[in-house]
Amino acid sequence: MSERLRIFRWRAIGPLLVLFVIAGILWWLFADTIARRESQKVGTQILGAQVEIQKLHLDLRHGKVLINGLTIASPHEAFTNLLQADELVADIDVVPLTEKKLIINRIAANGLRFGTPRATDGRVAATSGDGIAGRVLAETREWASQFQIPVLQLATGKVSIDSLDPRRLSTIPAATALGARADSSHRAWQAAFDSLRLGPTLDSASAALERLRHARATDLAALNEARQAIDRLKRARDRVTSLERNVTQGATILKSGLAGLESARQRDYAFARSLLKLPSLDAPAIGAAVFGPSAIRPFEQVLYYTQLARRYMPPGLLPRASTGPSRVRRAGETVRFPKQRALPAFLVRSAELSFLLQPTSEQPRRYAGRLTGLTSDPALYGRPTAFQASGPQLAAGAMLDHVRAIPVDTAGATLGGITLPAFDVPGVPLKLDPGAATTQLGFTLNGDTIRARFAVRSTNVRWTRDSGFTNSAIGGLIWQAVSGISNLDVEARLSGALQHPDLAVRSNLDQAIASRLRAVLGEQVAAAEKQQRDRVDALINDKVGPVRARVNEVQNQAQAQIAQQRARLDDLQKQLEQRLRELTRIRLP
Amino acid sequence: MFTLIKLIQSLFGALHSEGTPGQLAAGIVLGAFLGLTPLFNLHNAVVFALLVLLNVSFAGGLLGWALFVPVGFLLDPLFDWIGHSLLLAPSLRGLWTSMYNMPIVPLTNFNNTVVLGSLVFALLAAVPLFLLLRWAVARYRVTVGERVRQSRFYKAVTASKVYNVYKLFRP
């Protein structure tokens, strides 16, 4: 009996304790490796780019974490690192770790370097598209792709024309719709006209007039009948007036439809013109074509980090779901439950940064920066995340204010004396090397309203051209236009609703390139534009002509019908009234 | 192959052990917790400790674990849905918020949809599974158990050296 009631296997306590001790020893031995791998995994998942750590040492007794050789790849560029750090020392609160909360009181980061080259492609979000980072990256790419900047096609000096698909012209469906509307108006007006039933009224009035012609002044019945006929005629005329008003309104709509056809034709001209693969030869359009693609990139990158911050540092205290840890089993979603007056899940109270810019140059410059209040729960921390850095020819600052319901993210930087990489001018085998330039970036995202500015100024621009460009006459002329210009002043501005902001790009080269292009390509472009207009006309005139004629016919027919009936009514009324006057006139002897 | 042999050994070993059907069923149920829920979580350390400390069939635990791992994979979408519904239920938000801000509790990863969903599923399934298994083991032993014990196959399996290791932990 006692054997059956035995619940605990007391002899197993020893082996279990031994097992737990072994597990503890293993954890102690491999804690650094586990923490290093987990940090790499979580960092990679958060940023959407490979995070590599050479060495990580946990010293929980003293609340310290030491990281050596941190490398974070760029989420946007394949063989470039976002940053590298020689050493990071973090002071952490140990007690919140039991609540799975990481509170870092202070980080000292030394030897930070930005934009260093790497041997392998470190992009993760861009290649896999998974997780929050993957989604944000896809969103920002789609956002950037909305800026349809026409690309210069000047390499051969020929104006290229894409085929014109009639299905993409807006005039043809508009003309079809207007024709249908004209027909339906015609039917409606005819039905309304028939419902007036003017025939009996006119017939009875004619009969009354005939009787009145042979009546005497004492024939009261004939007089009354004539008066009633006049009343009926007046009422019929009111009905005709009402119908006429309707017809006039309908005709106005049809006329506006005709005007709409003209607008659609202009749009089709513009569409056909866009197939020329040549931007407008106006200076602002030239600026957008030459520098637009390069100017969008910094905005796209800043927006990526801002949107990531908004996802990982949302305002408010509602539960937040994010993708769970990657494992063999389904990751699921991990939901956080922030609580007022409790610690946030992640907080860096203060970070002191010491970094180098242009580390590969002969004289790399040293800078210092400070980051405060980086947290996963800004509403709990109660203060915005702030960053500032300064040094020789550098002033940079950023603030992520997610404390209130509508987040406001701002960033600004001015960096001088930095050699920017040379880039190809789109569509032209021409390379622009800005040299040592001053770069400015201003960015504000207030809720869903964006306002951003990116500017580059340089006084020692160098132009180089491809060998294939040498034989091109246009190439030579463009080369002449720009090669003598050593100053560069480019400014791109973005403003408006985040989903559809307005982009404006201007540069000091716009006018020079535009005037040269106009001189060289003006006639060719004009001829090509005329050709495109003729093609549009040939496609739409067959549709628009009959519709225009039909609209005029319907309109004229309805108006003529009304005018005719109105004239008959007026005439009969006039005759009746005149005869009545004759009969009722008092004749003095 | 080795795993398969081990599984068959566990199965026969457990079914023909000296333990009662209840001990075997309880072991399998605890093993089911290990198999149904994602393994590396704090609650599974507790389950493992219970499996070792309670006078239940350890082999049954291993068997339950092995049997329910594929079931866990298969039911992950269901667990995800259960966990999602529970974690985002407005009426339970206060409970989860309190638990999330307590020491130690967040280390169980209860706030993961799959972990919570599978744990709740395992808890709900535990009692019916225990009753069903206890009845099934008893029926097996009464009906075909003795014939299997006398079979050559059973003798070959139990003669393996691995079986000796198992015997150290039998109830």
Side-chain angles (χ1 to χ4, degrees):
Chain A
M1 189 69 188
S2 61
E3 192 66 24
R4 284 169 63 189
L5 288 173
R6 202 163 58 94
I7 294 172
F8 287 101
R9 197 187 276 138
W10 296 108
R11 61 184 174 165
I13 287 179
L16 186 66
L17 284 176
V18 170
L19 200 68
F20 282 156
V21 168
I22 290 171
I25 291 169
L26 285 175
W27 189 87
W28 181 67
L29 285 175
F30 295 106
D32 289 355
T33 309
I34 294 167
R36 183 172 65 85
R37 289 197 178 157
E38 280 302 305
S39 303
Q40 289 182 157
K41 203 163 81 176
V42 172
T44 301
Q45 197 177 5
I46 288 175
L47 288 169
Q50 206 71 47
V51 173
E52 291 145 4
I53 296 170
Q54 275 178 3
K55 191 181 159 194
L56 186 148
H57 176 59
L58 286 176
D59 183 0
L60 292 181
R61 210 160 43 135
H62 299 102
K64 279 198 184 300
V65 179
L66 178 70
I67 293 174
N68 290 109
L70 170 72
T71 300
I72 301 175
S74 165
H76 298 99
E77 286 151 272
F79 298 100
T80 307
N81 287 318
L82 181 68
L83 70 87
Q84 284 189 296
D86 291 338
E87 185 188 66
L88 275 91
V89 183
D91 292 336
I92 60 169
D93 273 352
V94 179
V95 176
L97 288 176
T98 60
E99 293 178 34
K100 221 177 165 183
K101 291 174 178 174
L102 182 58
I103 309 297
I104 302 172
N105 292 319
R106 182 177 170 271
I107 295 179
N110 293 313
L112 290 178
R113 301 177 298 282
F114 300 93
T116 52
R118 58 181 286 127
T120 55
D121 185 352
R123 295 172 302 165
V124 175
T127 48
S128 72
D130 293 337
I132 290 175
R135 286 196 292 275
V136 171
L137 191 75
E139 284 167 18
T140 48
R141 276 192 179 162
E142 197 184 327
W143 175 85
S145 70
Q146 72 180 296
F147 301 103
Q148 297 290 335
I149 298 164
V151 174
L152 288 168
Q153 297 282 330
L154 303 175
T156 60
K158 288 177 186 167
V159 177
S160 160
I161 304 173
D162 271 359
S163 60
L164 185 61
D165 183 354
R167 287 171 302 182
R168 297 185 65 187
L169 297 179
S170 57
T171 311
I172 293 172
T176 310
L178 184 61
R181 202 187 307 151
D183 285 340
S184 83
S185 296
H186 172 66
R187 281 193 296 276
W189 292 339
Q190 193 58 51
F193 189 78
D194 292 344
S195 70
L196 290 177
R197 302 178 61 79
L198 293 176
T201 308
L202 288 168
D203 290 345
S204 70
S206 297
L209 179 63
E210 198 53 39
R211 277 189 65 191
L212 205 59
R213 278 190 182 135
H214 305 291
R216 292 182 180 180
T218 53
D219 193 348
L220 293 177
L223 293 177
N224 281 337
E225 190 186 345
R227 285 193 183 100
Q228 284 168 4
I230 288 171
D231 285 344
R232 282 196 296 273
L233 285 173
K234 281 180 179 171
R235 283 198 297 273
R237 198 175 53 186
D238 288 345
R239 292 201 300 276
V240 169
T241 305
S242 169
L243 175 61
E244 188 178 24
R245 220 173 9 248
N246 285 344
V247 168
T248 308
Q249 282 173 358
T252 309
I253 293 169
L254 289 177
K255 272 181 194 164
S256 71
L258 286 176
L261 285 186
E262 274 314 300
S263 305
R265 184 192 292 267
Q266 296 305 319
R267 280 198 301 278
D268 289 340
Y269 284 157
F271 166 67
R273 189 179 181 287
S274 72
L275 300 175
L276 294 176
K277 289 185 177 175
L278 195 85
S280 156
L281 297 183
D282 297 335
I286 295 290
V290 174
F291 297 106
S294 307
I296 283 297
R297 203 169 301 148
F299 294 141
E300 183 189 343
Q301 293 185 3
V302 174
L303 184 65
Y304 171 73
Y305 293 115
T306 309
Q307 295 288 47
L308 266 192
R310 286 189 172 189
R311 301 288 174 97
Y312 290 119
M313 306 161 61
L317 293 172
L318 288 174
R320 288 127 193 203
S322 58
T323 312
S326 57
R327 56 186 170 214
V328 184
R329 293 281 292 268
R330 179 183 272 235
E333 282 187 322
T334 297
V335 187
R336 292 195 293 115
F337 296 91
K339 183 183 172 186
Q340 237 161 10
R341 289 183 291 279
L343 286 168
F346 175 79
L347 170 64
V348 177
R349 291 187 204 277
S350 163
E352 282 152 26
L353 317 168
S354 157
F355 56 95
L356 298 171
L357 288 181
Q358 294 198 308
T360 51
S361 71
E362 288 176 6
Q363 289 180 320
R365 285 180 278 167
R366 290 190 177 280
Y367 298 86
R370 186 177 166 81
L371 174 74
T372 55
L374 181 68
T375 176
S376 57
D377 303 292
L380 291 182
Y381 186 63
R383 274 166 285 171
T385 303
F387 167 76
Q388 58 174 25
S390 59
Q393 298 190 61
L394 168 73
M399 184 174 282
L400 308 176
D401 188 353
H402 298 184
V403 177
R404 290 175 198 83
I406 296 175
V408 181
D409 302 300
T410 52
T414 302
L415 184 56
I418 288 295
T419 306
L420 295 175
F423 65 92
D424 294 320
V425 177
V428 183
L430 200 65
K431 199 181 266 278
L432 171 60
D433 181 359
T438 299
T439 310
Q440 287 181 313
L441 175 72
F443 183 92
T444 303
L445 185 61
N446 187 343
D448 286 333
T449 305
I450 191 169
R451 183 176 289 274
R453 176 179 174 272
F454 176 66
V456 177
R457 284 196 181 84
S458 175
T459 52
N460 50 359
V461 169
R462 282 193 301 278
W463 297 88
T464 48
R465 54 179 174 172
D466 283 358
S467 55
F469 206 36
T470 318
N471 298 328
S472 161
I474 290 174
L477 286 167
I478 300 294
W479 172 254
Q480 280 174 24
V482 297
S483 60
I485 299 173
S486 60
N487 289 341
L488 178 66
D489 185 355
V490 183
E491 185 184 54
R493 283 179 183 274
L494 202 60
S495 60
L498 177 62
Q499 291 311 310
H500 302 289
D502 296 322
L503 172 71
V505 185
R506 63 146 206 90
S507 82
N508 61 324
L509 305 178
D510 303 349
Q511 202 57 50
I513 297 177
S515 59
R516 184 62 67 178
L517 280 180
R518 217 176 283 121
V520 178
L521 288 178
E523 280 181 22
Q524 200 179 341
V525 170
E529 282 178 355
K530 186 177 180 314
Q531 188 189 343
Q532 287 293 74
R533 272 201 305 275
D534 291 346
R535 288 167 70 184
V536 170
D537 286 341
L539 286 168
I540 65 177
N541 278 350
D542 286 349
K543 292 275 179 190
V544 171
V547 168
R548 188 184 294 280
R550 176 70 180 143
V551 166
N552 288 332
E553 182 196 339
V554 165
Q555 194 179 315
N556 293 337
Q557 194 181 345
Q559 282 169 344
Q561 225 169 358
I562 286 169
Q564 187 191 3
Q565 295 303 324
R566 178 192 280 279
R568 283 188 67 191
L569 290 169
D570 287 348
D571 183 47
L572 269 173
Q573 186 183 341
K574 196 175 161 187
Q575 287 184 49
L576 280 168
E577 283 172 348
Q578 191 180 356
R579 183 64 189 147
L580 269 177
R581 269 198 304 276
E582 283 170 10
L583 288 173
T584 54
R585 195 183 301 150
I586 299 168
R587 292 184 184 122
L588 293 171
Chain B
M1 189 63 193
F2 180 75
T3 313
L4 191 65
I5 292 171
K6 236 172 89 174
L7 187 66
I8 294 166
Q9 279 181 334
S10 297
L11 180 64
F12 283 118
L15 286 171
H16 294 274
S17 66
E18 290 157 17
T20 64
Q23 282 177 308
L24 182 58
I28 295 175
V29 167
L30 286 175
F33 274 82
L34 298 176
L36 286 174
T37 62
L39 188 61
F40 293 105
N41 279 295
L42 198 59
H43 70 268
N44 277 339
V46 176
V47 171
F48 184 77
L50 289 176
L51 191 60
V52 172
L53 288 177
L54 293 179
N55 195 18
V56 296
S57 168
F58 189 78
L62 294 181
L63 180 67
W65 180 15
L67 287 176
F68 280 91
V69 162
V71 179
F73 272 92
L74 216 64
L75 294 181
D76 264 351
L78 174 69
F79 299 156
D80 194 18
W81 178 79
I82 293 171
H84 202 274
S85 308
L86 290 171
L87 285 171
L88 296 180
S91 54
L92 294 172
R93 189 184 296 168
L95 171 71
W96 305 133
T97 305
S98 303
M99 286 172 69
Y100 182 79
N101 291 282
M102 278 177 193
I104 309 295
V105 181
L107 299 177
T108 61
N109 288 327
F110 80 92
N111 56 329
N112 181 270
T113 52
V114 173
V115 173
L116 183 71
S118 58
L119 188 62
V120 168
F121 181 88
L123 283 169
L124 292 175
V127 174
L129 187 67
F130 171 76
L131 295 173
L132 180 73
L133 287 169
R134 193 176 61 172
W135 173 82
V137 172
R139 288 290 301 161
Y140 169 82
R141 287 183 178 173
V142 170
T143 54
V144 292
E146 193 51 38
R147 265 183 287 164
V148 172
R149 193 190 287 272
Q150 298 303 325
S151 71
R152 256 188 255 167
F153 178 70
Y154 176 80
K155 284 174 182 166
V157 167
T158 52
S160 164
K161 281 181 184 173
V162 184
Y163 184 71
N164 296 332
V165 178
Y166 149 74
K167 280 168 87 176
L168 290 174
F169 284 93
R170 70 180 181 183

